[in-house]
C-alpha cells in the first residue's frame, strides 16, 4: 500500500467524502458544461435555420468527422509528428543550453541575449526566410516549431538551476562535492518543477507553431497537415470539415496539456511543497 493510500485512509469520513466529491466534480462539471454548450449550439442552428456553410450544427460536424476521418487523421498525424519532434528538440536543446549557461557566466552573457531575440521576434515574418533556406519544407516546419517551443524550456530550466538554495550550495562545497555532483544531485532536482512548467508551456506552443508554420509554408498534397485541410475546407466552403479539423486540433492540444500535466504530477506528487496538498 502506498503512502498516498495510507494518507487517504487516515482522513476522517467527512474529509474523505469531500475529497471524493471534489474528484467527481472535476470530471462531471466540465462534461455537463460541454453537453450544455453542444445543446445550445444545436438549438440555435436548428431554430434559426442557420445555413450549414455559415454555422454547421454539431451533428453535421460529427458526420463530417466520421466521413472524412481517413483524410483528417492522416493530416493530424503529420501535424502531430512535427509537434512532437519540435518539442523533443526543444527539450534537449533548452535543457542542455540552460545547464551550460547556469554553469558558466561567460556562456550566459554570450548566448542568453540571442535566445531572447529569437523569442521576441515574431515568427511569421521570419518563417518565409526559414522556408527559403531550409533544405526541405518538413525541415522548415520543424525549425519554426522548434524556435517557438525552445525559449520556455530554456528560461524556466535556467531559472530553476539558478534558484538553488545558497545554503545547500555551501553545504555541498563544505563536503567537497564536485561541480558535476552539485549539478546532478542538487541543481537539476531543484530545477525540476521549473522545467516541468516550461514543458507544459512548450507543448502547447509547439502545436500552435506547427500549425502556423504549415499556414505560412502553404504545404499541400497527401503529406500535408491539418492547416492545409483547414484552408482547403475554407476555400471549398466545406465548413463542417473545417469545424471537424478544428475539433481535432483542440482535442490534440488538450491531450498534450493533460499528458504534460500527468508527467508533472507523477514527478512532483511528493515534492516540492507546491505539489503537496495542504493539511487543514
Amino acid at each position: 500500500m502506498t503512502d498516498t493510500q495510507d494518507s487517504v485512509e487516515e482522513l476522517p469520513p467527512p474529509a474523505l467524502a469531500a475529497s471524493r466529491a471534489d474528484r467527481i466534480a472535476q470530471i462531471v462539471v466540465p462534461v455537463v458544461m460541454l453537453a450544455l454548450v453542444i445543446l445550445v449550439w444545436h438549438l440555435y442552428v436548428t431554430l434559426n435555420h442557420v445555413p450549414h456553410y455559415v454555422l454547421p450544427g454539431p451533428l453535421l460536424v460529427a458526420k463530417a468527422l466520421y466521413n472524412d476521418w481517413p483524410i483528417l487523421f492522416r493530416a493530424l498525424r503529420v501535424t502531430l509528428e512535427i509537434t512532437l519532434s519540435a518539442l523533443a528538440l526543444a527539450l534537449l536543446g533548452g535543457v542542455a543550453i540552460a545547464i551550460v549557461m547556469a554553469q558558466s557566466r561567460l556562456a550566459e552573457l554570450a548566448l542568453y541575449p540571442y535566445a531572447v531575440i529569437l523569442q521576441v521576434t515574431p515568427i511569421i515574418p521570419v518563417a518565409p526566410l526559414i522556408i527559403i533556406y531550409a533544405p526541405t519544407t518538413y525541415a522548415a516546419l520543424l525549425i519554426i516549431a522548434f524556435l517557438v517551443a525552445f525559449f520556455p524550456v530554456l528560461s524556466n530550466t535556467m531559472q530553476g538551476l539558478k534558484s538553488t538554495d545558497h545554503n545547500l550550495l555551501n553545504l555541498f562545497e563544505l563536503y567537497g562535492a564536485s561541480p558535476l555532483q552539485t549539478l546532478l544531485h542538487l541543481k537539476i532536482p531543484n530545477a525540476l518543477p521549473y522545467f516541468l512548467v516550461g514543458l507544459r508551456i512548450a507543448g502547447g506552443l509547439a502545436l500552435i507553431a506547427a500549425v502556423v508554420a504549415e499556414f505560412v509554408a502553404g504545404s499541400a498534397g497527401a503529406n500535408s497537415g491539418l492547416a492545409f485541410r483547414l484552408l482547403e475546407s475554407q476555400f471549398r466552403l466545406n465548413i463542417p470539415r473545417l469545424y471537424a479539423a478544428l475539433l481535432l486540433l483542440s482535442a490534440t492540444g488538450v491531450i498534450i496539456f493533460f499528458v504534460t500535466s500527468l508527467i508533472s504530477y507523477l514527478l512532483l506528487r511528493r515534492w516540492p511543497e507546491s505539489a503537496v496538498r495542504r493539511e487543514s
Side-chain angles (χ1 to χ4, degrees), residues 58 86 104 226 263:
S104 171
L226 274 176
I263 294 173

Side-chain angles (χ1 to χ4, degrees), residues 176-249:
S178 65
L180 181 60
Q181 289 175 324
T182 303
L183 174 66
L184 295 177
H185 299 290
L186 179 60
K187 290 185 177 181
I188 290 180
N190 181 78
L192 184 60
Y194 298 83
F195 162 75
L196 292 172
V197 171
L199 172 63
R200 286 201 298 270
I201 297 173
L205 289 179
L207 177 61
I208 295 172
V211 175
V212 172
E214 291 174 2
F215 274 124
V216 176
S219 58
N223 294 324
S224 58
L226 274 176
F228 169 72
R229 296 304 170 188
L230 288 170
L231 292 175
E232 179 190 41
S233 302
Q234 177 186 353
F235 294 146
R236 295 185 177 183
L237 289 182
N238 191 348
I239 308 303
R241 180 192 281 187
L242 189 149
Y243 271 79
L246 285 175
L247 180 63
L248 280 180
L249 278 177

Side-chain angles (χ1 to χ4, degrees), residues 50-268:
V50 180
H52 68 86
Y53 54 83
V54 176
L55 179 63
L59 296 179
L60 201 57
V61 173
K63 182 179 178 181
L65 181 62
Y66 177 80
N67 292 335
D68 298 333
W69 174 250
I71 298 174
L72 294 176
F73 178 74
R74 187 163 55 247
L76 174 63
R77 186 175 59 187
V78 174
T79 300
L80 193 58
E81 181 181 351
I82 296 172
T83 300
L84 296 181
S85 300
L87 181 59
L89 291 176
L91 294 179
L92 293 175
V95 171
I97 296 177
I99 291 175
V100 171
M101 290 194 298
Q103 294 294 100
S104 171
R105 177 61 177 170
L106 181 60
E108 180 182 357
L109 293 175
L111 298 177
Y112 194 73
Y114 297 100
V116 174
I117 292 174
L118 287 176
Q119 172 64 18
V120 301
T121 302
I123 194 63
I124 294 179
V126 178
L129 296 176
I130 297 176
I131 294 171
I132 291 174
Y133 296 121
T136 62
T137 302
Y138 181 85
L141 300 179
L142 190 59
I143 292 172
I144 295 171
F146 163 77
L147 291 177
V148 175
F150 167 74
F151 189 78
V153 178
L154 172 67
S155 59
N156 281 275
T157 305
M158 185 176 174
Q159 183 64 37
L161 293 171
K162 297 182 67 175
S163 299
T164 307
D165 191 339
H166 291 180
N167 294 322
L168 293 177
L169 289 174
N170 294 334
L171 180 63
F172 269 62
E173 291 179 1
L174 180 64
Y175 280 95
S178 65
L180 181 60
Q181 289 175 324
T182 303
L183 174 66
L184 295 177
H185 299 290
L186 179 60
K187 290 185 177 181
I188 290 180
N190 181 78
L192 184 60
Y194 298 83
F195 162 75
L196 292 172
V197 171
L199 172 63
R200 286 201 298 270
I201 297 173
L205 289 179
L207 177 61
I208 295 172
V211 175
V212 172
E214 291 174 2
F215 274 124
V216 176
S219 58
N223 294 324
S224 58
L226 274 176
F228 169 72
R229 296 304 170 188
L230 288 170
L231 292 175
E232 179 190 41
S233 302
Q234 177 186 353
F235 294 146
R236 295 185 177 183
L237 289 182
N238 191 348
I239 308 303
R241 180 192 281 187
L242 189 149
Y243 271 79
L246 285 175
L247 180 63
L248 280 180
L249 278 177
S250 299
T252 303
V254 171
I255 291 173
I256 291 175
F257 175 80
F258 275 111
V259 168
T260 54
S261 297
L262 178 62
I263 294 173
S264 178
Y265 167 75
L266 292 176
L267 294 177
L268 300 180

